[in-house]
């Protein structure tokens, strides 16, 4: 049975896979050509375990990216369950900034695999759009963002996070930028009195 696609994995196998993904994200972000054997070693798994999960570099890079997208998009629904819509949106924007920093590190690897780093061509872009749609819909319904803000408006407004230098104080810089974006989204919102 192929543990990558058929049914749940044993808990130790799942932990191994998650460790590999975590290490791979960090290592591929530093060096697109990092040896796969180094990733396996740092993840504390043998070569057989590594290649059983990821038969080649392409499979690993795509899965790291897919995993990061899934974590990001799942977070939108979770935040909407536990926060007011505008708080959920703002917290999700911080997670999007962290994703952008990770994506910058993966961009060379992704470019080698999919041939482009452009939004709609990226695997997972549709899932991110769905998450933004859900967050904006909840905010429109609550009256916490200005009427008529579209997904395209939002994506253009936050596009600056992909320009932030991940080697600097990216967290403070992204927080300032995203606070400005959030203030702009709230301006003219019907629920803001």
């Amino acid at each position: 049975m192929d543990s990558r696609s058929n049914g749940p994995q044993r808990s130790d196998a799942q932990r191994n896979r998650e460790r590999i993904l975590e290490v791979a994200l960090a290592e591929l972000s530093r060096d697109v050509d990092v040896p796969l054997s180094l990733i396996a070693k740092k993840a504390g798994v043998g070569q057989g375990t590594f290649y059983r999960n990821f038969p080649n570099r392409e499979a690993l890079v795509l899965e790291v990216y897919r995993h990061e997208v899934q974590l990001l998009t799942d977070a939108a629904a979770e935040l909407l369950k536990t926060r007011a819509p505008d708080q959920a949106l703002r917290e999700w924007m911080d997670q999007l900034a962290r994703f952008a920093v990770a994506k910058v590190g993966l961009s060379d690897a992704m470019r080698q695999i999919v041939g482009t780093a452009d939004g709609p061509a990226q695997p997972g872009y549709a899932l991110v759009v769905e998450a933004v749609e859900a967050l904006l819909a909840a905010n429109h319904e609550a009256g916490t963002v200005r009427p008529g803000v579209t997904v395209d408006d939002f994506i253009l407004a936050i596009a600056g996070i992909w320009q932030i230098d991940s080697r600097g104080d990216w967290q403070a810089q992204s927080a300032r930028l995203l606070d400005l974006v959030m203030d702009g989204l709230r301006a003219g919102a019907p629920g803001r009195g």
Side-chain angles (χ1 to χ4, degrees):
M1 175 163 78
D2 184 345
S3 65
R4 286 172 284 152
S5 58
N6 297 337
Q9 292 181 320
R10 294 184 339 243
S11 61
D12 61 330
Q14 184 61 35
R15 280 191 304 274
N16 286 341
R17 184 175 175 79
E18 288 170 6
R19 261 195 326 274
I20 293 168
L21 291 172
E22 182 181 318
V23 170
L25 174 61
E27 293 301 317
L28 287 166
S29 294
R30 282 192 274 277
D31 178 11
V32 67
D33 296 318
V34 63
L36 298 181
S37 59
L38 179 64
I39 293 172
K41 182 178 180 181
K42 286 189 173 188
V45 299
Q47 296 293 318
T49 298
F50 181 89
Y51 285 106
R52 191 170 30 260
N53 281 280
F54 306 105
N56 55 47
R57 181 175 298 278
E58 179 178 318
L60 176 65
V61 170
L62 287 172
E63 184 59 16
V64 167
Y65 187 82
R66 187 208 63 76
H67 182 70
E68 291 297 302
V69 168
Q70 193 67 56
L71 291 173
L72 177 68
T73 57
D74 289 350
E78 290 304 312
L79 287 167
L80 284 170
K81 290 177 188 173
T82 60
R83 308 279 193 282
D86 59 335
Q87 291 172 331
L89 178 60
R90 183 58 187 88
E91 286 184 37
W92 187 81
M93 289 164 64
D94 284 333
Q95 293 187 24
L96 181 63
R98 283 189 294 279
F99 172 79
V101 169
K103 186 179 176 291
V104 166
L106 284 174
S107 64
D108 289 340
M110 285 297 294
R111 202 174 354 269
Q112 288 178 0
I113 290 171
V114 296
T116 181
D118 295 334
Q122 288 287 337
Y125 184 79
L127 293 174
V128 173
V129 167
E130 288 174 20
V132 173
E133 285 173 342
L135 288 159
L136 288 178
N139 276 278
H140 284 302
E141 187 176 317
T144 50
V145 298
R146 67 185 330 144
V149 174
T150 67
V151 171
D152 289 338
D153 297 334
F154 177 84
I155 290 171
L156 287 171
I158 55 112
I161 62 174
W162 276 271
Q163 303 303 313
I164 294 173
D165 185 354
S166 62
R167 294 167 298 190
D169 187 11
W170 68 267
Q171 290 157 321
Q173 192 174 13
S174 71
R176 281 192 310 277
L177 174 67
L178 295 175
D179 284 344
L180 287 169
V181 170
M182 196 67 202
D183 289 347
L185 292 171
R186 288 179 174 138
R192 302 273 312 162

